[in-house]
Amino acid sequence: MAKTKSVYFCQSCGYESPKWLGKCPACGEWNTFVEERVTVGKKSNSKSSRSGMAQPIKLSEIETLDEPRIHMPSEELNRVLGGGLVAGSLTLIGGEPGIGKSTLLLQNILSIRNKKILYISGEESASQLRLRADRLGKVADNTLILCETRLDNIFTQIENVNPQIVVVDSIQTIASEQVESAAGSVSQVRECAAALLRYAKESNVPVILVGHINKDGAIAGPKVLEHIVDTVLQFEGDRQYLYRILRSIKNRFGSTSEIGIYEMVHKGLREVKNPSEMLLSENREEEMSGIAIGVTLEGVRPFMVEVQALVSSAAYGTPQRSVTGFDQRRLNMLLAVLEKRARFKLGQKDVFLNMAGGLKVADPAIDMAVVAAIMSSNFDVPVSRKTAFVGEVGLSGEIRTVTRIDQRVAEVEKLGFETVVIPKGNFKGIKDKFSINIVEVGKIEELLRHLFE
């Protein structure tokens, strides 16, 4: 007979332990173990259980099938997925509550008219989903809504409906009766995800899961959940701003370097075709001090970002360093380089830095624009709004080369800028490719002389 026993699982990585531990030996997190009841039964060793066992095949004898992808209505979503939804794949979309995960999925599946879709909701009622569909302005007869949280009942309805796409919102609300623990626990999430993976591979039907994220920004549940699925998409953005970024963390069928950008409007999510215009001020004719335009890369997409800086005398003795959308430690490093290499005394001044549009930039190629904005505010001399900056600043004050310089300069030229300042090491490869005025600088002193002399 099957027996039940208590097992402790790490909520962060899914590590299993027979007793409670303060620190997880697998991931190193503290106070993450929770007790769960699991069922243990005898394992069958009969020959009948081996009759359906798969046999090894030579790699050269395996036939490759180039199956067409399911084209999603959103081009940004198709880009992040690698060209569309793959048949028989298991896709996980994670994000903060209220960021727009369900809206993104619902407005896409309601626009697909030639597929039978089963939308399984464990969080919202059918009337709530109808209200959202009315707000999006899309109601389709080929989309079926099922409000259910029990896994066995879900598979029963899947057999009756025979859908071509399955959406589960969300995986943390689904529970299997074979596991004696609450929905959202480590064992339940792992068991339900594995069962949906088996269904997707056996039936060749794509399954999309919606997952919550924890306070650290990672997808909630055991880390093994991300290993089970084929694709992991992260939907992120500041709810104080209208813009959202969809990025791929894991993709077995495409690149993880692509991103999709959306704008939240009253009728759902609108695709942003040109993110550079989104991140620049509307009034580009009026020149003000403390503003410089940089070129950054998100994945493989280059776009312009407006760097805003404010430098003022410290009012309370201790200077402040306030940053929004940029690394605080990197700002301190750039200020130290300016003081040591360029002889500018900024130690007794407040420095405030902001990336316009709510974007978080980690690309080191934005360093030159940050330096230009800080010195522009310090001298109260505006930088030309028709000049863009690309370059990484080193500790010795040199301007280091950056990757994908061709794409960056092409983006600057496309948006009508007149001048782009780039590292000297990148100049040889592109000096004859573009008609835009290209200025090369090798040290931070050369950059300042170009701006303020």
Side-chain angles (χ1 to χ4, degrees):
M1 294 177 61
K3 299 180 180 179
T4 60
K5 67 174 183 177
S6 293
V7 178
Y8 292 86
F9 289 99
C10 173
Q11 291 180 302
S12 178
C13 67
Y15 180 82
E16 180 179 337
S17 173
K19 62 180 181 179
W20 185 88
L21 299 175
K23 181 180 180 181
C24 177
C27 64
E29 295 292 330
W30 288 88
N31 298 324
T32 57
F33 277 90
V34 293
E35 182 182 7
E36 295 181 12
R37 304 287 294 180
V38 296
T39 303
V40 181
K42 287 187 177 182
K43 295 183 180 179
S44 176
N45 295 322
S46 61
K47 293 183 180 180
S48 60
S49 63
R50 305 175 190 173
S51 59
M53 186 180 300
Q55 300 297 323
I57 308 173
K58 291 182 180 179
L59 182 62
S60 59
E61 297 177 355
I62 299 176
E63 296 182 2
T64 57
L65 301 176
D66 188 13
E67 298 182 356
R69 295 174 181 249
I70 299 175
H71 189 76
M72 304 298 286
S74 172
E75 292 297 332
E76 296 292 304
L77 180 57
N78 285 325
R79 178 187 289 111
V80 179
L81 287 171
L85 197 62
V86 177
S89 63
L90 186 62
T91 303
L92 175 65
I93 299 181
E96 294 181 358
I99 205 68
K101 305 181 298 295
S102 301
T103 301
L104 174 67
L105 285 176
L106 196 60
Q107 76 176 29
N108 270 275
I109 66 173
L110 290 177
S111 299
I112 302 175
R113 302 294 183 178
N114 58 348
K115 302 284 184 182
K116 183 184 289 187
I117 302 169
L118 180 61
Y119 189 98
I120 301 165
S121 175
E123 297 180 339
E124 296 178 295
S125 64
S127 59
Q128 288 175 315
L129 290 172
R130 176 57 193 265
L131 289 173
R132 177 175 292 169
D134 291 338
R135 178 170 58 86
L136 297 175
K138 298 175 182 178
V139 178
D141 293 333
N142 61 314
T143 301
L144 304 176
I145 304 298
L146 174 63
C147 298
E148 181 61 69
T149 58
R150 287 171 290 184
L151 187 65
D152 296 338
N153 294 350
I154 288 173
F155 279 121
T156 301
Q157 295 301 324
I158 286 176
E159 291 178 3
N160 296 334
V161 173
N162 194 21
Q164 294 170 287
I165 299 176
V166 176
V167 179
V168 180
D169 184 8
S170 68
I171 186 61
Q172 278 84 9
T173 62
I174 307 302
S176 172
E177 296 179 355
Q178 298 179 0
V179 179
E180 295 184 359
S181 58
S185 62
V186 175
S187 55
Q188 283 286 9
V189 170
R190 182 167 51 190
E191 176 66 25
C192 295
L196 290 168
L197 176 67
R198 288 193 297 269
Y199 163 74
K201 300 305 179 184
E202 293 172 359
S203 62
N204 207 32
V205 173
V207 178
I208 303 176
L209 308 179
V210 176
H212 302 307
I213 66 171
N214 55 29
K215 61 181 180 181
D216 298 326
I219 295 177
K223 196 68 177 177
V224 71
L225 177 61
E226 298 183 26
H227 298 300
I228 290 175
V229 301
D230 297 312
T231 305
V232 181
L233 305 182
Q234 188 88 1
F235 202 46
E236 58 190 37
D238 192 339
R239 281 187 288 179
Q240 304 301 322
Y241 294 91
L242 299 177
Y243 304 107
R244 306 285 188 265
I245 294 179
L246 180 68
R247 66 176 75 247
S248 175
I249 301 175
K250 170 190 175 182
N251 192 351
R252 288 175 177 163
F253 311 110
S255 172
T256 57
S257 59
E258 293 285 359
I259 66 165
I261 302 178
Y262 295 88
E263 180 185 7
M264 181 66 77
V265 295
H266 69 284
K267 285 191 175 181
L269 292 163
R270 183 184 67 85
E271 298 179 49
V272 177
K273 300 295 184 181
N274 192 350
S276 296
E277 295 181 355
M278 167 191 84
L279 298 170
L280 298 179
S281 295
E282 297 178 0
N283 187 5
R284 293 176 53 186
E285 300 299 329
E286 182 182 357
E287 295 185 350
M288 296 177 290
S289 63
I291 294 177
I293 308 300
V295 187
T296 183
L297 280 177
E298 278 287 344
V300 296
R301 295 182 70 181
F303 50 84
M304 318 288 288
V305 59
E306 182 178 293
V307 182
Q308 302 174 344
L310 176 64
V311 179
S312 61
S313 299
Y316 303 103
T318 303
Q320 301 181 60
R321 302 287 186 263
S322 180
V323 179
T324 303
F326 193 69
D327 188 6
Q328 173 87 47
R329 292 170 296 181
R330 192 157 189 88
L331 173 64
N332 294 335
M333 184 269 287
L334 294 175
L335 295 176
V337 171
L338 282 172
E339 186 162 349
K340 179 71 175 180
R341 305 299 178 187
R343 309 298 180 187
F344 289 106
K345 304 299 181 182
L346 299 173
Q348 297 303 316
K349 293 187 176 181
D350 295 334
V351 179
F352 302 92
L353 188 69
N354 175 50
M355 299 292 159
L359 187 71
K360 295 180 181 179
V361 180
D363 186 4
I366 206 74
D367 288 353
M368 198 192 300
V370 171
V371 169
I374 291 173
M375 298 315 300
S376 172
S377 178
N378 185 51
F379 295 135
D380 200 18
V381 176
V383 176
S384 174
R385 298 302 299 271
K386 296 184 179 180
T387 301
F389 301 88
V390 184
E392 178 184 355
V393 178
L395 287 177
S396 61
E398 82 278 12
I399 306 298
R400 300 175 60 85
T401 58
V402 299
T403 59
R404 301 182 184 272
I405 189 66
D406 292 359
Q407 297 180 25
R408 298 176 194 263
V409 177
E411 180 74 11
V412 175
E413 188 177 43
K414 183 180 72 174
L415 292 178
F417 283 75
E418 297 177 355
T419 305
V420 58
V421 183
I422 67 171
K424 185 174 293 184
N426 288 120
F427 184 69
K428 292 182 180 179
I430 65 167
K431 60 180 180 180
D432 299 326
K433 293 183 179 180
F434 302 96
S435 59
I436 189 174
N437 180 31
I438 301 177
V439 178
E440 54 173 337
V441 292
K443 293 185 178 181
I444 197 171
E445 296 92 333
E446 298 178 22
L447 170 65
L448 300 178
R449 281 197 299 267
H450 169 74
L451 291 176
F452 306 112
E453 284 187 357

